Every structure is written in structure tokens, then in C-alpha cells.
Amino acid sequence: MSNPSRVIRSSNVLLLLTGYQMHWFDAKQQRYRISLPGVVNVFVLACVYAGCFAQHFQPSALLKTLQDVSPFLYGLTRLQLLLSIKVFSYAIYASVRAVGVASALTASLPLKSPPGHRHVKKELFAYGLLCSTFVVLLCFGLYIGYELEFKLPPLKDIMVGSALFVPHLVLAGALRFYCIFAWLARERLQQLQAEVDELLTIGQMRTEMQLVAGASSVSIAATPSTVDSLLSQCEQLQQLAANFGNFFDSLEHSLLLLLGINANCLLFGLYAFVYYSSTWYVLFDDRRQRIFYAGNASIYACIGCDYLCLLLAQTLLEQQVGIASNDLRDIWHGSKPKKQNNWNSGFKLVWLFFLQSIQFSERLSTALGQRTVLPKRMRRIAKDMRAILSNCFRFKFLSIWRFDVANFALLQLLQLLIIALIVIYHYLDDAIQLTNERFDSNNDE
């Protein structure tokens, strides 16, 4: 049996261990409550981070070598350190704020699903969204450990790296927190769509029967109970939209900070890769070269795991909208919807809840297009629900940039373009300086 509360509890345990949350999810009351172990864990993690942070201002052979080899990379490291201390502090504050809003969201969600193989696959997919980055990171860590013969580097070097990594790990919890609750919201939207679809079908059938039987069959028209049920679904949709909108608002700054710190990591990784592949590799033996390439690749792999579902969403969104439109057309023509044989049936956009809102909106638009089928009051409620789906689920970062798959993909492309231009500029500038030095040396001779 698939149990959404089990998914929330699993994400809660993971986020507690990574230091993003200090609250424990109470499944009975469907709310987050402050947890003493969580507070102690965050305090210990903060102390460890403070010690690692201080190592960046102590004599270190690693940092001295980095500064001598590339002042630009050393500057990026300092920038990452500056961002990290702000990120670590803000992530804790934002987590406390987010769990309060999440409690209001979980209180309005049915956290139990009926048994079935399909629900189990959805739950496994949710676990994949939650743990995929850690699995990739573990694989790279094991490979690097193997190349190092499982011998730990010097403690100072570990602490220098931890000062850069720990805040990133904590802040990435915001992304996983958002994914899980978007998955829950998508499940709730699917339930509401099924319930509304049933009510609209009942209203359609009764109105058609009334038109066929004549004006004398007034009792066949939509009953008050049907209209009240549809109105109740509209209120629940409004509540879901308001709660998830508040949840997004509580996390938007964390997601933006994560985008910024990821961009700095990508710039560091790409710059180091270009220079290492062209010149620095001669300073290392084969084993350390493999270690470098594995560590460098882990940057792109881990960040890519966080963004993979958004990139996949664009294709699945268009496909799912087409499937939903065909099914609804079959329903309104009185035939049974054709069974879809999709290769991605187990990987439908589980956490991208706005996919379900688009299907929901499409269903309402189809119903509203049948002007002689639905009673006027039901049509008004359906219009209200369509307006909620069209307006309340359109989130924006800082009330400026709309958050959807297309805009997110464009932002990533823009970031990669800027990073590539910076790396090319520095590489060409260094090449020009090297050429000038050679000319000056030849003139002196």
C-alpha cells in the first residue's frame, strides 16, 4: 500500500539528518512539531561548520597551492565561503518558516492512498526524487575512496572542503522539501479531478435526460446535493492553491540561493576542468588525474540530479496534455477512453503538480464548452475552478520571474552561457599574456 505520510516521514528523517529541519512530523495530527534531537543535531552541525569555516583562515597547504596555481579559482572559493555562511544561516530560518506553512498544507491533505501497484510505483518514484542525488554522490565517493585506497586525506583538507559542502547540503534540502510536497499536491489534484469529473458527468447526464424528456422532467435536473458537492470541491481546490502558494513563497528565496550557489560551483568546476585538461594535468600522476576527473564530474552529476525532473517535465507535460485531451474527447463522445500504453506510465510527473492542474483545467474547459449540457450554477462553479487553476497555481520568483519548466530551462541555459563566456575570456586572456611573455623573452635574447 502506498502511504503519502510514509513519504513525508522519510523525507523528514532525511532532512533532519542533513540539518535542514529541526521539526518532527506527527503523522496522527499531520503537523510538524519542534524536536529536541533536531535542535541538538543542528547545533552540533553548526559547531562543526564553524570549526571547518575557521580552517579557511589558518595556514593551509591546500589553499596556498590553490592560490598560487589560480588566483581566480581561489577567489571563487572565497566567494563560495562567503555565500555558504549566509546560506547556512538562512536555510535554518527558512526551514522553520516553511514547516509552519507545510503543517497547514498537510492538515488539508488525505495522507492515505488505496492499495495498488500503481501507487507503489508512485511512492518509489518519490523516494527516487528524495535520494537520487545522495546515491550519485555516494557512487562518486566510493570511486574516489577506491582510488585513494580508502585512506583519508589530511584532516585540515577535509575541514576546508566541508566548510564549502555542508551549507550546500543543508540548502539543497529546500529543493527536496519542495519536491515532496509538490508530489503530494499533485496527488490531491488528481483526486479532485476524478471527483469533479464524476460530478460534471452526472450533471451532464441529468441535463441531457431533461432535454430529451422535455420540460416536465424538472426533477431530473442537477440536484442541490450535486451542486453543493461541486461547490465543496471548489473550496478544497481554493484551499489547496492557497496553502501551496504560501508554501512556495516560504521556499522561493531558498531555491534562488540554491541556484546561485550551484552556478558558482559550475563555474568553479568548468574553469578547473578546462585548465586541468590543457596544462595542469602534467603535475599529477594517473591515479590523481582520475580522482580529479571523478570529483569534477560529481559537481555536474549532483547538480544535474536536482534539475533532472524539471528538464524531463517539458517533454512529459506536452505528452500528458495531449493524452488528457484525447481521453476527454472520447468521454464527451460517449466512448470509453483508449488505454494508453506509455513507456513512462510509472514515471509520470509525480512531483510536478502543475501537470495535473493543466489536465484539470483542460477538463473544466471542455465541460464549459458544452453550453447546453451543464446547469448554469454548475457552469459558474466550474468557471471559478478553472480561474483558480489558471491564476493561483502560477507562481513567480520575487513576483517577477514565473516559475515553470520552460523559464527554468531558459535560466539554466543562460547561466551556462555566462559561465562559458567567463571561462573563455579567462582562457583567452591567459593565452594572450603567455604569448606576450614569449615575445618579450625573444626580444630580450
Side-chain angles (χ1 to χ4, degrees):
M1 176 183 293
S2 172
N3 191 342
S5 64
R6 188 163 57 230
V7 176
I8 297 180
R9 180 66 62 82
S10 300
S11 66
N12 186 209
V13 172
L14 181 64
L15 297 179
L16 278 169
L17 293 177
T18 58
Y20 179 71
Q21 286 184 348
M22 295 184 294
H23 294 69
W24 178 251
F25 180 70
D26 187 345
K28 293 183 178 180
Q29 298 186 4
Q30 298 185 201
R31 298 185 65 84
Y32 284 89
R33 297 188 178 279
I34 194 69
S35 169
L36 180 59
V39 174
V40 173
N41 180 60
V42 170
F43 176 76
V44 172
L45 189 64
C47 293
V48 172
Y49 171 66
C52 296
F53 183 87
Q55 285 298 319
H56 278 263
F57 301 94
Q58 301 295 329
S60 171
L62 177 63
L63 293 175
K64 184 64 169 61
T65 302
L66 181 63
Q67 186 176 15
D68 294 339
V69 171
S70 176
F72 181 73
L73 282 183
Y74 182 78
L76 288 180
T77 304
R78 288 299 187 186
L79 176 60
Q80 186 81 356
L81 189 68
L82 178 63
L83 290 174
S84 295
I85 191 171
K86 295 181 178 179
V87 159
F88 187 84
S89 303
Y90 183 79
I92 304 302
Y93 160 77
S95 171
V96 175
R97 181 186 176 197
V99 293
V101 181
S103 295
L105 185 57
T106 56
S108 62
L109 291 173
L111 297 184
K112 289 187 178 180
S113 298
H117 183 59
R118 179 185 177 189
H119 294 287
V120 173
K121 289 196 298 184
K122 288 182 178 181
E123 184 174 344
L124 291 176
F125 186 74
Y127 291 140
L129 292 174
L130 190 63
C131 303
S132 58
T133 303
F134 294 102
V135 172
V136 171
L137 186 61
L138 177 63
C139 292
F140 278 101
L142 290 175
Y143 175 76
I144 294 174
Y146 169 77
E147 292 292 347
L148 289 173
E149 299 179 347
F150 295 101
K151 295 179 180 179
L152 291 176
L155 180 59
K156 288 185 177 181
D157 294 349
I158 295 177
M159 295 180 71
V160 166
S162 298
L164 303 174
F165 177 73
V166 169
H168 199 162
L169 177 67
V170 174
L171 184 62
L175 179 64
R176 278 171 269 279
F177 198 41
Y178 175 80
C179 289
I180 292 302
F181 275 89
W183 176 78
L184 287 170
R186 190 262 181 188
E187 292 292 300
R188 181 55 181 155
L189 277 173
Q190 191 175 39
Q191 293 176 3
L192 286 174
Q193 180 187 354
E195 294 168 0
V196 170
D197 184 73
E198 182 179 356
L199 293 173
L200 291 176
T201 302
I202 293 173
Q204 173 192 352
M205 293 176 60
R206 285 175 172 168
T207 306
E208 288 177 343
M209 292 174 64
Q210 179 187 7
L211 293 175
V212 172
S216 59
S217 302
V218 179
S219 60
I220 303 178
T223 61
S225 60
T226 304
V227 177
D228 292 342
S229 297
L230 187 62
L231 182 61
S232 175
Q233 303 304 319
C234 181
E235 293 174 352
Q236 293 181 44
L237 179 63
Q238 178 66 57
Q239 182 183 22
L240 177 64
N243 289 336
F244 199 88
N246 294 334
F247 180 71
F248 175 81
D249 292 340
S250 67
L251 288 178
E252 63 171 331
H253 292 92
S254 297
L255 296 176
L256 285 174
L257 283 174
L258 184 62
L259 291 176
I261 201 170
N262 279 344
N264 193 67
C265 290
L266 289 173
L267 177 57
F268 185 98
L270 185 59
Y271 184 92
F273 177 80
V274 169
Y275 277 82
Y276 188 91
S277 301
S278 60
T279 55
W280 298 344
Y281 69 93
V282 298
L283 303 175
F284 300 89
D285 56 25
D286 292 340
R287 170 167 290 184
R288 295 195 176 275
Q289 287 184 25
R290 292 193 297 269
I291 293 174
F292 171 82
Y293 286 123
N296 191 265
S298 67
I299 297 175
Y300 317 123
C302 292
I303 294 176
C305 281
D306 287 339
Y307 298 154
L308 180 61
C309 289
L310 286 178
L311 298 177
L312 183 63
Q314 185 66 28
T315 302
L316 296 182
L317 179 63
E318 296 174 359
Q319 183 181 15
Q320 191 64 32
V321 170
I323 292 172
S325 299
N326 292 334
D327 287 353
L328 291 172
R329 181 189 61 190
D330 293 337
I331 290 173
W332 284 105
H333 282 82
S335 59
K336 186 178 180 180
K338 298 179 181 179
K339 184 179 180 180
Q340 301 295 336
N341 184 20
N342 296 329
W343 65 270
N344 59 354
S345 59
F347 297 93
K348 290 181 181 179
L349 226 38
V350 177
W351 70 278
L352 289 173
F353 71 95
F354 50 83
L355 169 66
Q356 190 65 37
S357 70
I358 289 177
Q359 294 183 34
F360 202 166
S361 181
E362 183 76 18
R363 175 66 178 91
L364 293 173
S365 298
T366 304
L368 290 171
Q370 309 289 326
R371 295 184 178 277
T372 61
V373 171
L374 291 177
K376 290 184 178 180
R377 190 178 178 189
M378 293 187 71
R379 283 179 54 81
R380 287 197 299 268
I381 298 174
K383 285 183 178 180
D384 292 339
M385 299 180 78
R386 187 176 62 177
I388 294 171
L389 292 169
S390 300
N391 301 322
C392 297
F393 285 101
R394 295 180 180 270
F395 305 120
K396 292 183 178 181
F397 283 124
L398 306 177
S399 301
I400 299 174
W401 169 49
R402 182 178 168 185
F403 176 66
D404 57 23
V405 177
N407 288 331
F408 191 86
L410 288 175
L411 178 63
Q412 295 307 309
L413 290 176
L414 180 61
Q415 280 188 345
L416 292 175
L417 178 61
I418 294 174
I419 290 171
L421 291 175
I422 293 174
V423 173
I424 292 173
Y425 168 79
H426 280 278
Y427 188 80
L428 292 178
D429 184 63
D430 290 344
I432 292 173
Q433 290 183 9
L434 181 60
T435 303
N436 290 335
E437 290 176 1
R438 288 177 178 176
F439 279 131
D440 293 339
S441 177
N442 292 334
N443 291 335
D444 292 340
E445 293 178 357

